[in-house]
Amino acid sequence: MRRLDVFSVEGVEGRSIELQCPITVPLSQVYMVLWFKDNAGIPLYSVRLQRVAIDENLKRHDQGVYRCRIDFRTIQTQTYRYNLSVIVLPEQPVVLDRWGRHINGTKLGPKEEGDDVVITCRVSGGRPQPEVRWLINGVIVDDQYEQNSGDVIENRLLWPTIQRSDLNAIFTCQTMNTKLVEPKETSYVLDMHLKPLTIKVINPPNTLVADKRYEIMCQSAGSRPNAIITWYKGKRQMRRTKDEVLDHNTTTSTLSFAPTTEDDGKTLTCRAENPNVNGLFLETDWKMNVVYPPMVTIQLGPTLVVDDIKEGDDVYFECHVRANPDWKKLQWFHNDILLQYNGSARIIQSGQSLVLQKVTKQSAGYYACSAINAEGETVSDQQHLRVKRKC
């Protein structure tokens, strides 16, 4: 009998394995093939085939040394030995958060920019001891693991200061102790709450006409989930809005409003914020230029007493105008007739004042002023002038 050749063979628990005697002569010269386990004298199998399946469902106790003896009809018997190691696969990896709680589902987070990802992969069982490693998007980032207690292996991953670009990154815990089967994996997709990146008012008009209704659009992008947009005039929130969610984390909000003359020079503010990200928002301001016809009022000079004007007194009126754009022309009327300025008639215009020198009874009546700008002409209410006879 020739010397024993030894072959090392690995099999996986629960799988099948086939051992093969290396017969190098025609099978017609083979009388019998006998299989033995360990030191047993009684063969497990007695066949005329060179291959034999030890078990279709390999078990841990199947591990051992198997001998294959080939009896030939005319030549010397040959014996081969197989050292079969049964590999016990580890259990499916379990992932824990930083507080040791099991993470359910397939989502990690949601997290915010600047957060740290702290997760632990725990693997139980396995022979030989399995490797436990972390991969991000298929790239190994941490292969340092340690034995915890018993047959439990852990790998704690600290991935610091995550950025916007880490959104939807795949964190995979992988364990393996053989190349005969694919590694066992547990994966999570990183979910993030992101603050808005941009905000702008889309094509705002250069001027607004008072009391005319406008649709003003504001757009924000970069927030996850989509930003909530609010409008403010000063500190007062504007409620008449319509929001629309577009692709790529973009939101638009359309404000419908009719500016008044009081809004000229005031500021509209569009603010975008993600309510899931505390204290972070973007806003843009737009100063309104509201145009309107002149607003005109007439007033008797403040030093005069309206019921105590006598013939020969000097009287003056003031015309107060508020307009955008500024007024270009100012006119005065007496009893609805346009006044012509005449120094000899003692009717003088000075700036926005009308001066009547040494009034007479004919000076009495109703006075008004008007102002004209690019938006139109406005005539004031009338101011009544009474002139008493001089005693």
Side-chain angles (χ1 to χ4, degrees):
M1 183 180 295
R2 59 176 292 181
R3 66 180 178 84
L4 298 180
D5 291 323
V6 180
F7 300 94
S8 294
V9 181
E10 291 184 343
V12 178
E13 183 182 33
R15 310 279 178 107
S16 63
I17 188 171
E18 187 178 77
L19 302 181
Q20 177 177 341
C21 272
I23 299 175
T24 59
V25 299
L27 291 178
S28 59
Q29 298 183 25
V30 176
Y31 175 71
M32 188 66 66
V33 178
L34 302 174
W35 286 91
F36 302 86
K37 182 183 179 187
D38 296 328
N39 296 320
I42 300 175
L44 291 174
Y45 302 98
S46 177
V47 295
R48 291 184 178 275
L49 302 176
Q50 68 184 104
R51 296 181 179 88
V52 63
I54 296 299
D55 201 326
E56 294 184 354
N57 184 16
L58 199 61
K59 298 178 177 58
R60 302 183 190 193
H61 62 254
D62 290 326
Q63 180 167 297
V65 177
Y66 291 81
R67 288 178 293 120
C68 168
R69 194 183 82 190
I70 308 172
D71 293 338
F72 297 97
R73 297 183 185 277
T74 59
I75 61 177
Q76 184 181 6
T77 295
Q78 295 178 357
T79 301
Y80 301 90
R81 188 166 60 182
Y82 295 84
N83 186 8
L84 174 62
S85 298
V86 177
I87 295 173
V88 179
L89 296 179
E91 296 180 10
Q92 190 70 22
V94 173
V95 177
L96 311 175
D97 63 17
R98 67 168 68 207
W99 297 282
R101 299 175 302 196
H102 181 226
I103 302 176
N104 296 312
T106 59
K107 184 172 70 172
L108 187 62
K111 301 286 187 180
E112 295 182 14
E113 292 179 78
D115 284 352
D116 296 337
V117 174
V118 181
I119 45 180
T120 299
C121 182
R122 176 179 292 172
V123 175
S124 299
R127 188 184 69 192
Q129 186 182 79
E131 299 177 0
V132 180
R133 58 192 185 184
W134 279 104
L135 298 85
I136 298 180
N137 296 327
V139 178
I140 298 173
V141 295
D142 187 349
D143 58 2
Q144 302 298 312
Y145 54 89
E146 60 182 15
Q147 187 168 359
N148 189 347
S149 60
D151 60 353
V152 176
I153 307 296
E154 290 186 344
N155 183 333
R156 183 176 184 269
L157 174 68
L158 169 60
W159 195 251
T161 319
I162 58 174
Q163 304 299 317
R164 177 179 292 264
S165 58
D166 292 318
L167 174 66
N168 293 326
I170 300 175
F171 286 70
T172 300
C173 174
Q174 185 183 86
T175 183
M176 61 182 298
N177 61 353
T178 178
K179 295 182 179 180
L180 296 177
V181 296
E182 292 295 321
K184 289 187 176 182
E185 297 180 344
T186 299
S187 295
Y188 294 87
V189 178
L190 179 61
D191 186 21
M192 296 182 67
H193 286 157
L194 301 175
K195 63 183 179 182
L197 288 178
T198 62
I199 187 169
K200 60 181 178 179
V201 177
I202 306 297
N203 299 324
N206 293 326
T207 59
L208 302 171
V209 177
D211 301 321
K212 179 181 177 181
R213 185 159 294 279
Y214 290 87
E215 306 287 324
I216 309 297
M217 180 181 292
C218 181
Q219 186 177 90
S220 176
S223 177
R224 177 184 170 89
N226 288 77
I228 294 176
I229 296 180
T230 49
W231 290 86
Y232 295 88
K233 184 171 68 175
K235 294 183 179 180
R236 184 171 68 88
Q237 184 174 348
M238 310 288 283
R239 301 289 184 179
R240 193 166 180 173
T241 61
K242 180 181 179 181
D243 296 338
E244 182 180 2
V245 175
L246 306 178
D247 294 334
H248 308 299
N249 306 111
T250 300
T251 304
T252 63
S253 177
T254 302
L255 170 68
S256 175
F257 86 117
T260 68
T261 57
E262 299 298 324
D263 292 327
D264 182 37
K266 290 185 177 179
T267 298
L268 271 182
T269 300
C270 175
R271 175 183 294 180
E273 57 188 326
N274 183 340
N276 299 292
V277 182
N278 293 327
L280 294 175
F281 61 85
L282 289 180
E283 61 182 26
T284 183
D285 294 333
W286 173 46
K287 187 175 181 179
M288 292 181 286
N289 179 29
V290 182
V291 297
Y292 51 91
M295 302 175 67
V296 185
T297 58
I298 186 174
Q299 182 182 12
L300 188 65
T303 61
L304 301 175
V305 179
V306 66
D307 294 327
D308 192 29
I309 297 175
K310 301 181 292 296
E311 291 178 303
D313 289 346
D314 291 339
V315 174
Y316 69 97
F317 294 94
E318 293 179 348
C319 188
H320 298 284
V321 181
R322 183 159 66 92
N324 186 27
D326 290 337
W327 60 271
K328 295 181 178 180
K329 186 176 182 180
L330 198 69
Q331 300 181 121
W332 291 90
F333 298 88
H334 179 213
N335 294 329
D336 296 327
I337 298 174
L338 180 64
L339 281 175
Q340 302 297 327
Y341 311 117
N342 189 334
S344 60
R346 299 173 181 174
I347 300 175
I348 302 170
Q349 181 181 5
S350 176
Q352 292 179 230
S353 298
L354 176 69
V355 180
L356 305 177
Q357 295 178 324
K358 300 187 181 302
V359 295
T360 65
K361 291 293 290 182
Q362 287 73 28
S363 302
Y366 292 92
Y367 287 82
C369 64
S370 75
I372 301 172
N373 71 357
E375 296 301 309
E377 178 181 7
T378 304
V379 180
S380 71
D381 292 336
Q382 293 183 330
Q383 174 75 53
H384 186 218
L385 175 65
R386 296 177 60 188
V387 180
K388 296 180 179 180
R389 290 185 180 274
K390 189 174 182 180
C391 297

